[in-house]
Amino acid sequence: MNILDHLLHKLFEENNLSREELIFLLKNIDEDSKDKLFNYACKTRNRYYGNKVFMRGLIEFSNICRKDCLYCGIRSSNKKASRYRLTKEEILDCCHEGYKLGYRTFVLQSGEDPWYTADRMVDIIKSIKRKFPDVAITLSIGEREKEEYQAFFEAGAERYLLRHETASRSLYEKLHPDSSFDNRINCLKTLKEIGYQVGAGFMVGLPGQREEDLVEDLIFLKSLNPHMIGIGPFIPHSETPLGKTKGGTVEDTLVMVALTRLMVPDSLVPATTAMGTLHPRGRELALMAGANVVMPNLSPSSVRPKYQLYENKICLEDEPAHCRYCIEGRIKSVGMELDMSRGDHWTYKEAKAL
Ligand code: SAH
Ligand code: SF4
């Protein structure tokens, strides 16, 4: 057995490798070993979740953001972005449309928009829960105070997505001159303590990101042990300071998806829209590298073009019904099965069964 095969096999068996082993693997991986890696990743996923792909309906309810993340198309300094906010009624309409299409989980995502105070968010969450008691609500609205996270949880939001973006402190600080790495990480820990199913995650191909930094992401995720992990390529947006940089590749992102699956074997890992943006079958490739979630868009088509964290985002013109069936075809094309249920992390199902 050559050294790469040995490392991959060890990672498959033990769901862990040392920092040095991971760096060696990442720097030396070849096409042959990638096939083996993807194979191990799919086997590992199937052990926990079978060949199911869970669907989440994404509602991008505001593109107003007080933060200025260097990579993001809706950062506050982008004066060309045309801004919008959805009202509670508009959000409920999106849920209604999604519910009719069979979705039982909604992801409410936005910039860090202070207009949505804790009270307004609680009202939105409670209204959704009142109308659709059997759905799971996921929030992805950035960094808030512990009391606010607690209030959202008590109102009925059970999941929270907050990518750590990069586990390298120095890279994080360069990309977020207005934010604190420690606060981001502390928010993730707080969310976990409160009892949320928590999603962390990172971008691949950030300017200045080395293999060593990506290995820090894997080690960080292993220790945080989140329920969900979102991984996507960084895609430059021309109206940002990083507009002329290179961006991540599908190939590198697939390797990180598969390594993440093996390091945190029971996580829920989306095949991200950013993958679909870089490659016509990017999401299918991610599913074949160990992902098992997709998040089709339920936002009104009138606002979709305005929610461009990166450019050339796919599905800007498509109606939710179209996305629902388009994705189903893609899932079937890789021999997997669509699952429209809430798609909780398996440990939560266990907890409920007790
Ligand atoms: N404001 C919230 C949620 C919206 S941003 C937050 O930041 O947590 C959602 C995710 O989009 C971010 O976590 C980031 O990883 C990703 N993103 C932003 N700009 C991107 C870009 N240019 N390319 C790829 N992903 C990007
Ligand atoms: Fe705002 Fe999130 Fe974009 Fe950062 S990544 S600028 S917090 S929307």
Side-chain angles (χ1 to χ4, degrees):
M1 222 192 245
N2 73 31
I3 176 89
L4 286 174
D5 282 354
H6 166 73
L7 288 175
L8 286 175
H9 191 254
K10 185 167 163 197
L11 179 56
F12 176 59
E13 290 287 320
E14 298 175 13
N15 299 121
N16 208 357
L17 286 180
S18 72
R19 177 178 277 110
E20 291 67 34
E21 287 172 326
L22 286 167
I23 294 175
F24 180 88
L25 191 56
L26 210 47
K27 288 195 171 176
N28 293 286
I29 194 153
D30 54 24
E31 290 307 311
D32 252 11
S33 344
K34 277 189 197 175
D35 284 344
K36 285 180 193 141
L37 168 65
F38 297 157
N39 211 348
Y40 281 147
C42 288
K43 265 194 190 156
T44 301
R45 171 198 60 210
N46 293 353
R47 200 159 70 216
Y48 288 94
Y49 295 102
N51 71 340
K52 291 190 178 115
V53 180
F54 301 102
M55 296 274 274
R56 328 273 199 215
L58 177 65
I59 303 170
E60 301 153 329
F61 67 95
S62 161
N63 71 348
I64 296 174
C65 190
R66 66 190 172 98
K67 291 235 268 178
D68 220 9
C69 309
L70 254 51
Y71 42 80
C72 179
I74 62 170
R75 64 200 295 267
S76 57
S77 293
N78 181 7
K79 301 297 175 221
K80 292 207 179 151
S82 144
R83 307 284 173 173
Y84 72 91
R85 279 186 186 119
L86 298 187
T87 61
K88 179 173 87 175
E89 287 66 36
E90 287 169 319
I91 296 173
L92 283 166
D93 284 347
C94 296
C95 294
H96 186 67
E97 175 134 28
Y99 197 88
K100 277 193 301 188
L101 289 168
Y103 289 94
R104 291 297 174 267
T105 157
F106 300 123
V107 180
L108 301 190
Q109 194 179 76
S110 69
E112 290 205 4
D113 183 351
W115 187 86
Y116 297 90
T117 57
D119 285 349
R120 285 189 172 128
M121 280 313 298
V122 163
D123 180 41
I124 292 171
I125 295 163
K126 284 190 174 161
S127 305
I128 297 176
K129 278 295 210 187
R130 214 174 295 130
K131 246 183 137 173
F132 312 101
D134 55 338
V135 303
I137 299 177
T138 306
L139 298 180
S140 177
I141 61 173
E143 294 166 45
R144 296 267 181 149
E145 295 300 321
K146 179 174 184 181
E147 295 67 34
E148 297 181 87
Y149 285 152
Q150 185 73 47
F152 304 155
F153 187 73
E154 281 162 20
E158 291 146 285
R159 305 178 186 160
Y160 206 103
L161 303 181
L162 186 81
R163 288 185 178 181
H164 64 280
E165 313 297 3
T166 170
S168 152
R169 177 186 293 273
S170 58
L171 186 54
Y172 188 93
E173 285 170 355
K174 274 187 213 139
L175 296 168
H176 308 92
D178 59 347
S179 318
S180 144
F181 178 71
D182 289 328
N183 193 57
R184 191 90 179 166
I185 304 299
N186 285 336
C187 282
L188 281 166
K189 291 184 179 156
T190 303
L191 289 162
K192 256 195 124 180
E193 275 163 26
I194 292 174
Y196 280 98
Q197 295 181 55
V198 175
F202 59 100
M203 281 175 281
V204 179
L206 289 163
Q209 191 179 41
R210 303 157 307 154
E211 280 94 351
E212 286 82 354
D213 299 317
L214 290 166
V215 165
E216 289 313 309
D217 286 312
L218 295 173
I219 292 171
F220 168 72
L221 288 166
K222 179 86 195 163
S223 72
L224 180 71
N225 194 25
H227 307 88
M228 302 168 283
I229 303 175
I231 305 165
F234 157 60
I235 305 177
H237 188 294
S238 59
E239 296 299 330
T240 67
L242 303 179
K244 294 210 157 42
T245 57
K246 229 172 105 249
T249 64
V250 170
E251 289 73 21
D252 290 347
T253 309
L254 291 172
V255 169
M256 293 315 296
V257 165
L259 289 175
T260 301
R261 164 62 63 204
L262 291 171
M263 288 290 277
V264 191
D266 62 351
S267 51
L268 290 153
V269 176
T272 53
T273 309
M275 287 294 273
T277 297
L278 284 193
H279 187 291
R281 298 191 75 240
R283 284 168 296 178
E284 291 89 312
L285 294 171
L287 294 175
M288 291 192 285
N292 63 342
V293 172
V294 284
M295 293 167 53
N297 204 321
L298 286 178
S299 313
S301 33
S302 58
V303 304
R304 284 191 198 193
K306 299 180 182 167
Y307 198 87
Q308 293 208 50
L309 311 172
Y310 47 83
E311 281 162 327
N312 305 317
K313 203 170 138 203
I314 49 171
C315 314
L316 292 183
E317 309 278 310
D318 301 330
E319 289 302 321
H322 174 89
C323 292
R324 153 79 176 73
Y325 294 103
C326 162
I327 276 289
E328 180 163 16
R330 290 170 185 273
I331 290 169
K332 287 191 174 146
S333 80
V334 296
M336 295 184 75
E337 226 175 82
L338 174 102
D339 189 314
M340 295 295 287
S341 71
R342 287 166 46 105
D344 284 287
H345 189 266
W346 71 280
T347 53
Y348 276 69
K349 274 190 205 142
E350 295 270 300
K352 268 195 215 103
L354 291 176

